[in-house]
Amino acid sequence: MAIAERPRSGWRERIRATLDLIRSNPTGRVTLKIFIAIAGALVVTVGIALIPLPGPGWLIVIGGLAIWAVEFHWARRLLAFTRRHVQAWTRWVTSRSLPVRFVLGAVGLVFLAVGVWLSLKYSLGIDLVARLLHYLATH
């Protein structure tokens, strides 16, 4: 017995049909490219600005890349490359022992803390380490 093809999601098919309708008109094709380029650039820019801060900076960058992938082949290739490497990393980490995963998590937290410290120090002029050392020395 052959495996039946999975039915497509209704909303995805509607979006695909709408994009094809827009692309069928030369003006619509150019307008769509410009809109996708600007929307993707805004999302990627916000994501890049959020990378040093705690939160989903990289996830937002990947979301912007997904927006670009709607219209640009290079973005589809980069998104596929990113997806492959994130999945490979996830498989590798989950195949390690619990102590190794704890060490990887600790390294990630240290990296995040240094990123937050540098971001606050150089963007807002707040040096948390200096303040902490001053507090410890005076109390």
Side-chain angles (χ1 to χ4, degrees), residues 16-91:
R16 182 172 285 118
T18 303
L19 290 174
D20 288 342
L21 181 64
I22 292 169
R23 289 181 187 118
S24 68
N25 180 338
T27 304
R29 189 177 318 115
V30 170
T31 304
L32 182 63
K33 259 196 193 308
I34 291 170
F35 175 77
I36 294 294
I38 292 171
L42 287 173
V43 173
V44 167
T45 302
V46 168
I48 289 172
L50 293 176
I51 286 172
L53 301 175
W58 281 111
L59 189 61
I60 293 172
V61 170
I62 292 171
L65 191 58
I67 292 171
W68 277 335
V70 169
E71 246 343 91
F72 301 107
H73 184 67
W74 62 266
R76 279 190 292 278
R77 286 193 325 262
L78 185 57
L79 190 59
F81 172 84
T82 303
R83 186 177 292 136
R84 277 193 317 273
H85 283 80
V86 167
Q87 288 170 348
W89 170 255
T90 303
R91 278 193 308 274

Side-chain angles (χ1 to χ4, degrees), residues 67-135:
I67 292 171
W68 277 335
V70 169
E71 246 343 91
F72 301 107
H73 184 67
W74 62 266
R76 279 190 292 278
R77 286 193 325 262
L78 185 57
L79 190 59
F81 172 84
T82 303
R83 186 177 292 136
R84 277 193 317 273
H85 283 80
V86 167
Q87 288 170 348
W89 170 255
T90 303
R91 278 193 308 274
W92 183 83
V93 168
T94 55
S95 70
R96 303 296 130 199
S97 66
L98 195 57
V100 170
R101 284 188 273 171
F102 276 128
V103 168
L104 289 171
V107 168
L109 287 175
V110 167
F111 180 77
L112 181 66
V114 169
V116 168
W117 170 64
L118 290 172
S119 177
L120 289 173
K121 181 176 180 178
Y122 292 111
S123 64
L124 300 176
I126 302 170
D127 190 354
L128 293 177
V129 173
R131 286 186 180 191
L132 177 64
L133 291 175
H134 175 73
Y135 176 81

